[in-house]
C-alpha cells in the first residue's frame, strides 16, 4: 500500500525503547505508517508543523514541554490530527484536562499491545479512533 493510502501516525514519547516497540507494533499493520517521531514536547510541536499526520500518540510526561502544554498549543493550530494520550498516570483530573484540550482518547500505560487497545480507520479523509473494547 502506498504511503498516501496509509494512516500517518506521529509518536511523541521520550522513552526511546518503548517508542521503538510501539513503532514496530504499529508498522506491523499494513494500513498504518509511523511517519514522525518526537522525543520531547518541543519536537512534538515541530512534527505537527512539518508533517501531515492523521493521528498523534502523545505521552503526557516528556522533557521540555509536557503533554498538557503540547495540547494547549495544538488547540491554536488550523489543522490537527486525532490525538491519543499515552500516560502512566490515569488521574481523573489529568484525563479531564486532556480531553478538554482536544485529546480524543486516553490510554493508561502500561498496556498490552497484544490486546490492541485502539484501532483506527479512515472515513472521508479523517481518522476515527475507536477503542477496541467499545467495539465488542
Amino acid at each position: 500500500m502506498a504511503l498516501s493510502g496509509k494512516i500517518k501516525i506521529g509518536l511523541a514519547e521520550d522513552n526511546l525503547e518503548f517508542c521503538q516497540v510501539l513503532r514496530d507494533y504499529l508498522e506491523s499493520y499494513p494500513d498504518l505508517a509511523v511517519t514522525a517521531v518526537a522525543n520531547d514536547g518541543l519536537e512534538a510541536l515541530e512534527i505537527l508543523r512539518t508533517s501531515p499526520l492523521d493521528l498523534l500518540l502523545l505521552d503526557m510526561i516528556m522533557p521540555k514541554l509536557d503533554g498538557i502544554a503540547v495540547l494547549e498549543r495544538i488547540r491554536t493550530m488550523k489543522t490537527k490530527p486525532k490525538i491519543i494520550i499515552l500516560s502512566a498516570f490515569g488521574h481523573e483530573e489529568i484525563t479531564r484536562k486532556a480531553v478538554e484540550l482536544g485529546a480524543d482518547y486516553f490510554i493508561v500505560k502500561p498496556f498490552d499491545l497484544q490486546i490492541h487497545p485502539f484501532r483506527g480507520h479512515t472515513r472521508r479523509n479523517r481518522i476515527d479512533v475507536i477503542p477496541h473494547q467499545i467495539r465488542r
Side-chain angles (χ1 to χ4, degrees):
M1 180 181 287
L3 186 60
S4 62
K6 294 186 177 194
I7 296 170
K8 294 177 278 308
I9 301 171
L11 299 179
E13 168 66 57
D14 65 321
N15 180 321
L16 301 180
E17 184 178 328
F18 177 69
C19 191
Q20 188 60 52
V21 168
L22 189 55
R23 180 181 197 146
D24 291 345
Y25 173 77
L26 293 168
E27 290 185 337
S28 72
Y29 289 85
D31 58 339
L32 304 178
V34 176
T35 58
V37 176
N39 299 122
D40 65 53
L42 291 178
E43 288 178 5
L45 291 175
E46 184 60 26
I47 66 171
L48 287 166
R49 283 191 206 66
T50 60
S51 302
L53 298 175
D54 300 306
L55 174 66
L56 176 66
L57 299 179
L58 177 63
D59 187 17
M60 286 301 286
I61 308 298
M62 292 185 297
K64 299 184 182 174
L65 284 177
D66 66 16
I68 294 294
V70 171
L71 286 170
E72 287 171 342
R73 286 162 178 82
I74 290 173
R75 285 181 82 170
T76 65
M77 295 180 172
K78 290 181 183 178
T79 59
K80 49 190 161 242
K82 293 288 184 175
I83 300 167
I84 295 177
I85 299 295
L86 304 175
S87 179
F89 302 100
H91 191 272
E92 187 176 325
E93 183 63 24
I94 294 172
T95 304
R96 185 189 59 73
K97 181 72 171 171
V99 170
E100 281 177 6
L101 292 170
D104 296 286
Y105 195 64
F106 197 100
I107 298 174
V108 178
K109 295 190 276 185
F111 55 88
D112 185 350
L113 290 174
Q114 299 307 314
I115 294 175
H116 198 160
F118 57 88
R119 179 170 47 188
H121 60 88
T122 57
R123 189 182 297 156
R124 294 188 193 144
N125 295 323
R126 64 184 179 84
I127 184 169
D128 292 319
V129 177
I130 302 171
H132 180 66
Q133 294 82 359
I134 292 173
R135 297 287 296 179
R136 289 184 180 175

